[in-house]
Structure formats: structure tokens, C-alpha cells
């Protein structure tokens, strides 16, 4: 029997069948009820493995959930808006999400929390920082079309920490191309400590920056978080408890 299950690649059943058979005997399940359970177990196992595969491919740096985000610490942030985004309808309309604010206010946490919702909703996600993305886009050892494809394919692309890396002309052009490829097709979640006025300096080209922002922001939810750093709060709490 195990041999058959393995040939048919019924992995979840292969581990759970003995327990299911035992339960069926004790509970005297009907044939229909038994078959229903067997198929459900295999389907759930497959869905779980697919979710784990998507999670690994997403390369999230934090497993930060929206449920653990303390909204009371960031009163400038609309909890209602984040919950609405968590419903994922923004993916249907290829709307972008731009999270702005100083370090430590939870931009990466929120981006990863939304990404987890998308992954659980069956969507593909890829996380990258602008530094990593720019490096890949200008890497001469890789085929540019394949690099662009890698970043244009996932349903959600997170570009984190826009602002800490100045881009070369070539990198700026490639980033523009990527934003254009995804425009009105699939969402970008972007985090930045910069104001939009500073993008000209970031890309080294005001005209290109205007064109890029035009596409990025045409269908976008812009969320500015003007609050205190959660990292500093944790730090201060630790210092206080040490002093006491
Ligand atoms: P940013 O990306 O804005 O610099 P992060 O999202 O990396 O900030 O947040 C820094 C750390 O603080 C992370 O570990 C994050 O999970 C945590 N954090 C930030 N804001 C909150 C919050 N409001 N509630 C709970 N944890 C938070
Ligand atoms: Mg961050």
C-alpha cells in the first residue's frame, strides 16, 4: 500500500493512512465518509506544502504578522486601511503600496505582514531590498532579461529600504523598466525613508524619477508613518529595566 501511495505521490496520505484506517475501524465510517477524509487529508497536505514552498521562495527577512503589529504605538497609521489591504483586493487591481517613514516605525513589518496574507491567499511573493535589486540589475554575469523576469513574475514584489542606496544610470534605467513591466499588472510594496522629491537624487535623473513615480503612484496606496521608532522603544525599555 505504501508503495502505491508513493508511486502516486500521495505524500500526506502515506504518513496518515494508518491512523485514518484505525479511526475508520473504530468509528465504523461509511465508504463515502472514509474516501472523503482520505482525499481531504491529501488535499490539505498539498496545500500546506505549496504554502511552505511559496514562503521559502518569498525570502522574507521577518516572519512578522499583522496580528502582532501594535497599532496603538503608531497613531498616525490607519489600522482600518491596513486591514482593508490585508483583504488583498489591491492585488486584483495591481495597486501598489508605498510605506514611507523614518527607521523603526514598522515599514518592513507591515510589508512582510501583508506578504504573509498574500502567501496564505495562494499568491507568489518575492522580497528584496533596493540594494540587492540594484546589484542584481547591474550584474554583468547575469542575463538582464532573466533578472528582470525574476522580479517581474511574482504577484507581489517587495522593494525594501529605498533610499539607502544611490543608483547608477544603468541601475536606474533597469529599475524604471521593472516598474514599467509591473505597471497595471502586479503589485509592488515599497518601503522608503525618502520623500518623493528626493527620488531625482536617488536615481541621478529628475526626468526618469518623474516618469518612474508617475507609474509607481498612478494606482497606489501611500501610507506615511510619522511616528516613533519601535526599535528605540524596545531599547529604552531595556535600558530602564537595567537601571532599575
Ligand atoms: P522599519 O522597516 O520601518 O525600519 P521595522 O518594520 O523593521 O521598521 O521594525 C523594527 C522592529 O520593530 C521589527 O522587529 C518590528 O517587528 C518591530 N515593530 C515595529 N513597529 C512595531 C509595532 N507597531 N508593533 C510591533 N512591532 C513593531
Ligand atoms: Mg525596514
Amino acid at each position: 500500500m505504501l508503495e502505491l501511495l508513493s508511486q502516486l505521490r500521495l505524500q500526506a496520505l502515506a504518513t496518515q493512512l494508518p491512523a485514518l484506517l484505525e479511526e475508520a475501524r473504530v468509528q465504523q465510517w461509511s465508504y463515502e465518509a472514509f474516501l472523503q477524509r482520505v482525499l481531504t487529508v491529501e488535499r490539505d497536505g498539498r496545500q500546506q506544502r505549496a504554502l511552505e514552498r511559496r514562503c521559502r521562495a518569498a525570502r522574507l527577512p521577518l516572519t512578522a504578522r499583522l496580528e502582532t503589529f501594535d497599532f496603538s504605538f503608531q497613531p498616525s497609521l490607519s489600522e482600518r486601511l491596513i486591514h482593508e489591504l490585508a483583504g488583498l483586493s489591491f492585488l486584483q487591481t495591481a495597486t501598489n503600496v508605498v510605506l514611507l517613514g523614518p527607521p523603526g516605525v514598522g515599514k518592513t513589518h507591515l510589508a512582510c505582514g501583508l506578504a504573509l496574507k498574500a502567501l496564505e491567499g495562494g499568491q507568489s511573493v518575492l522580497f528584496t531590498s533596493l540594494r540587492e535589486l540594484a546589484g542584481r540589475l547591474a550584474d554583468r554575469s547575469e542575463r538582464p532579461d532573466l533578472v528582470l523576469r525574476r522580479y517581474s513574475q511574482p504577484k507581489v514584489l517587495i522593494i525594501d529600504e529605498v533610499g539607502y542606496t544611490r543608483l547608477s544610470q544603468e541601475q536606474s534605467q533597469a529599475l524604471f523598466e521593472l516598474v514599467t513591466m509591473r505597471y497595471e499588472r502586479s503589485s509592488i510594496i515599497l518601503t522608503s525613508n525618502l520623500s518623493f522629491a528626493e527620488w531625482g537624487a536617488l536615481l541621478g535623473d529628475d526626468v526618469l524619477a518623474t516618469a518612474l513615480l508617475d507609474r509607481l503612484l498612478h494606482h497606489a496606496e501611500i501610507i506615511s508613518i510619522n511616528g516613533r521608532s519601535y526599535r528605540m522603544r524596545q531599547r529604552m525599555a531595556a535600558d530602564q529595566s537595567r537601571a532599575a
Side-chain angles (χ1 to χ4, degrees):
M1 180 90 90
L2 281 181
E3 171 95 29
L4 259 177
L5 293 176
S6 136
Q7 282 169 358
L8 292 169
R9 298 179 202 289
L10 301 172
Q11 280 185 38
L13 263 190
T15 57
Q16 295 188 46
L17 192 62
L20 282 175
L21 283 169
E22 179 60 26
E23 206 182 340
R25 272 189 217 105
V26 173
Q27 306 281 344
Q28 304 199 328
W29 286 344
S30 66
Y31 292 127
E32 283 88 349
F34 179 67
L35 188 59
Q36 177 84 31
R37 268 304 289 281
V38 156
L39 295 175
T40 306
V41 160
E42 183 57 29
R43 184 209 50 200
D44 292 352
R46 284 182 189 198
Q47 283 178 351
Q48 184 59 31
R49 287 202 305 281
L51 173 62
E52 286 162 10
R53 237 182 345 261
R54 284 196 306 279
C55 284
R56 277 195 302 276
R59 307 183 57 214
L60 298 181
L62 299 175
T63 40
R65 307 198 59 91
L66 293 179
E67 288 78 4
T68 65
F69 194 86
D70 179 3
F71 286 91
S72 69
F73 188 75
Q74 278 323 332
S76 75
L77 178 68
S78 162
E79 182 171 0
R80 197 196 44 73
L81 174 58
I82 299 297
H83 281 140
E84 192 184 307
L85 291 171
L88 301 179
S89 61
F90 76 101
L91 298 183
Q92 258 68 65
T93 52
T95 297
N96 298 324
V97 177
V98 180
L99 294 156
L100 301 176
V105 294
K107 301 183 297 298
T108 304
H109 186 135
L110 292 169
C112 289
L114 287 173
L116 282 171
K117 294 287 175 214
L119 288 164
E120 287 160 3
Q123 307 290 351
S124 56
V125 172
L126 180 60
F127 181 103
T128 181
S129 65
L130 182 64
R131 183 201 314 269
E132 181 192 334
L133 176 64
R136 292 286 298 275
L137 290 173
D139 186 345
R140 306 270 164 147
S141 68
E142 298 194 69
R143 272 180 49 192
D145 55 328
L146 293 186
V147 176
L148 274 176
R149 195 155 86 212
R150 167 166 170 75
Y151 290 105
S152 60
Q153 265 175 354
K155 189 76 184 167
V156 182
L157 176 69
I158 301 178
I159 307 178
D160 196 32
E161 301 206 325
V162 171
Y164 295 108
T165 315
R166 306 267 131 173
L167 304 190
S168 69
Q169 192 185 0
E170 184 190 10
Q171 289 171 330
S172 297
Q173 271 297 339
L175 181 66
F176 175 70
E177 208 169 314
L178 176 61
V179 169
T180 303
M181 282 170 87
R182 296 187 66 91
Y183 174 61
E184 295 192 328
R185 291 187 31 213
S186 46
S187 301
I188 295 175
I189 302 178
L190 183 145
T191 82
S192 181
N193 62 332
L194 294 185
S195 69
F196 296 126
E198 293 169 289
W199 280 59
L202 174 80
L203 302 180
D205 183 334
D206 286 336
V207 178
L208 188 68
T210 306
L212 188 150
L213 287 174
D214 191 56
R215 284 169 178 70
L216 184 71
L217 305 181
H218 183 196
H219 310 288
E221 208 61 75
I222 299 164
I223 303 170
S224 293
I225 313 174
N226 312 300
R228 292 175 297 150
S229 163
Y230 199 83
R231 286 196 195 95
M232 288 303 286
R233 185 196 93 144
Q234 287 177 325
R235 185 57 204 276
M236 272 146 58
D239 287 352
Q240 270 165 15
S241 70
R242 210 170 303 127

